[in-house]
Amino acid sequence: MSLPRISNNGPKRRRLSVEVYFVLYLSAIILLLGTSPSEKQYDAQLEEAIAQLINTDFEVDVEKPALLIPILPASLNVDTLAGRLPRDTINIVRAHGSFEKVEFRIVGIEDTVTGNALPVEQGRLKKETDSSVSFHWDQGDKTTSAVYVVSVEAEAQPIIPPQISSPQARSRVERVIAERALMKDTAHFSISVIPATSDEYLLAIRNAPTLTSDGSPDDAVSRLDELFSLIAEPPGSAGFRAIPNRDALNAPPGGTWKNRVSIFGVSRTSNIRVSGTPGVRISSAGANYLDLVGPAPSTGQKKVRVSLNAPNGGSVIVSFVVNARDLDDARIPQVMYAGETYSLDFSSDGVDINLLSVSVIENGRTDIQNHSPILEYTPKANSGQVVFQRYVDGKFYDSKPATLRSLPKPTITIGEKRGNGVLIETVTYGTINGRDNTAVCRVASGNAEDPELVDTQINWFTRHIRMIWKIEPKDPSQRLAFKLHVWDQRGQKHSREELNYEDL
């Protein structure tokens, strides 16, 4: 039987240190290959061994996928505003993994419109910690719209275990690492330079909430609201502006939709009245926004077109489309293990997240109520059932059940033959003390070497850890036969399983 590869459906998890194995394997390889009659073969095999054994779980990421820099059109003669516009010119670049030191460098800045490369000196890097730098962008006095893509490369020096004391061996390892670029990665992000008067910028700044350290709204936001109202209405313009956050949104058939509308050029949004499409009303209002709600169609699509009327006689038309569509099916594991923390998402594309809520009922008792659709859940019960109930605007929509269990013992499956040996698949579950609950596989008796780990695949959605082992006979002239003991991180006393195998 062939053993399927299991894809990693969850967030990437970093591997544990392999220093001990590195030392043992590399030392053995150096000793064995050192007797090879072919120096060329020795070099090739040793280099390949180093490449296989070194921990290459190295990556670089950025804090922000995009920077946003507003510019004032030359026609807008408001000199004092330029200094008050928030300029997003700093990004943090971080390296992850196990390494001794890391160096960062800007390797490219490309203008996506012209395809031309800019001097890398237009950005600079400043060291923040041993594993991170801050990128600083120099916009200068340029007032032309553009989108740039910045590439920052990091190259790390891995930790070579001190037990490899031979200068010749350490030199060889360092050379292979450098030549093969075993620990090198590049992060990319964009820089968008756009007019501060554009709808894109006004919407972007509206959708980026800013809080103080105690969680309350920052006063600077209110001051910027006034600033953007001035920007949005250049001298000589009449009326006010309103921009819906979504031009198209989804809602359950016959249910309720919600759409926020950003308002500019009106001092008090609470005095605005709405008219037009029947059933549309203002559910709440803020300093520079209104929340509109209304009934969704039973089927198909409905165009909402309303007039927002200010007390001074000004008015503006706002229009968008509402699609009647079932909510996205929430995906949860069929089995959930006690003590494991699951990140769950019951939101739906195109549906205002504030309309959705979730309640969690564990074995008939409400454990979580009226929670936002994105939540973390840790089962408390070792058995029974949990039910996730989803609501739209307070009305029940659907429910999803899952079975609750304690972590099972490992399972063992005999796989396909491989040469003189055989492949064995073990499956363990969840985490123990915050670490992956990986299997330990040992031959208890018989004509067999201890298992060699071939592959590990972790499915973070189901919490299954599948490990593939190869077992070969100690005496190749004799039939392969063995008793196998497998246990997980809870130890042999609590989780050991056995398998007897005899090659026919």
Side-chain angles (χ1 to χ4, degrees), residues 211-494:
L211 301 178
T212 62
S213 58
D214 63 1
S216 59
D218 192 344
D219 289 340
V221 175
S222 297
R223 293 194 297 271
L224 286 173
D225 281 339
E226 299 175 5
L227 173 65
F228 294 133
S229 293
L230 291 173
I231 294 176
E233 287 300 323
S237 64
F240 64 93
R241 297 179 68 190
I243 305 171
N245 280 18
R246 293 179 181 269
D247 294 322
L249 54 133
N250 303 322
T256 302
W257 57 261
K258 181 178 181 181
N259 201 2
R260 176 160 291 189
V261 178
S262 297
I263 304 295
F264 309 100
V266 174
S267 58
R268 296 185 61 185
T269 58
S270 59
N271 293 328
I272 294 177
R273 298 293 178 262
V274 61
S275 61
T277 302
V280 178
R281 58 184 177 85
I282 298 173
S283 64
S284 59
N288 288 100
Y289 71 86
L290 298 173
D291 285 332
L292 300 181
V293 297
S298 300
T299 59
Q301 188 180 85
K302 174 182 180 181
K303 184 169 185 179
V304 175
R305 181 179 174 87
V306 295
S307 175
L308 301 180
N309 308 302
N312 61 8
S315 65
V316 64
I317 300 294
V318 172
S319 63
F320 48 89
V321 170
V322 178
N323 298 298
R325 200 185 80 178
D326 292 333
L327 298 186
D328 295 338
D329 189 29
R331 186 167 174 259
I332 65 171
Q334 292 182 344
V335 177
M336 306 180 85
Y337 301 110
E340 294 291 302
T341 298
Y342 296 85
S343 297
L344 304 175
D345 187 351
F346 291 87
S347 62
S348 185
D349 183 43
V351 178
D352 191 301
I353 197 170
N354 297 306
L355 280 176
L356 303 175
S357 62
V358 173
S359 293
V360 182
I361 301 172
E362 189 175 292
N363 285 335
R365 181 181 61 84
T366 300
D367 187 53
I368 300 174
Q369 192 168 18
N370 297 327
H371 198 283
S372 69
I374 299 175
L375 72 155
E376 289 192 342
Y377 166 65
T378 304
K380 300 178 179 64
N382 292 319
S383 61
Q385 187 181 69
V386 61
V387 177
F388 300 90
Q389 296 181 339
R390 183 163 48 172
Y391 297 82
V392 181
D393 198 25
K395 298 177 182 178
F396 175 79
Y397 179 79
D398 64 1
S399 64
K400 284 277 186 179
T403 300
L404 298 179
R405 294 182 61 184
S406 57
L407 292 182
K409 287 186 176 183
T411 61
I412 315 170
T413 305
I414 300 173
E416 63 186 23
K417 291 185 178 181
R418 184 70 63 85
N420 292 331
V422 65
L423 295 182
I424 299 293
E425 178 188 76
T426 62
V427 179
T428 51
Y429 306 85
T431 56
I432 298 294
N433 297 324
R435 300 174 63 181
D436 301 332
N437 188 26
T438 51
V440 179
C441 191
R442 295 287 185 267
V443 170
S445 61
N447 178 36
E449 301 281 1
D450 266 334
E452 173 192 350
L453 180 61
V454 176
D455 193 20
T456 300
Q457 295 290 332
I458 302 178
N459 187 321
W460 298 113
F461 181 71
T462 62
R463 296 299 200 275
H464 291 183
I465 304 173
R466 283 177 164 81
M467 303 174 74
I468 310 300
W469 310 80
K470 183 180 180 181
I471 303 179
E472 294 185 325
K474 256 184 192 178
D475 183 352
S477 66
Q478 301 295 319
R479 184 169 54 186
L480 177 66
F482 57 84
K483 176 188 284 187
L484 189 69
H485 286 175
V486 173
W487 61 90
D488 62 24
Q489 300 302 309
R490 290 171 291 183
Q492 295 193 57
K493 181 179 179 181
H494 301 286

Side-chain angles (χ1 to χ4, degrees), residues 102 126 141 154 200 261 310 429:
V102 60
K126 177 183 176 183
D141 57 359
E200 292 80 4
V261 178
Y429 306 85

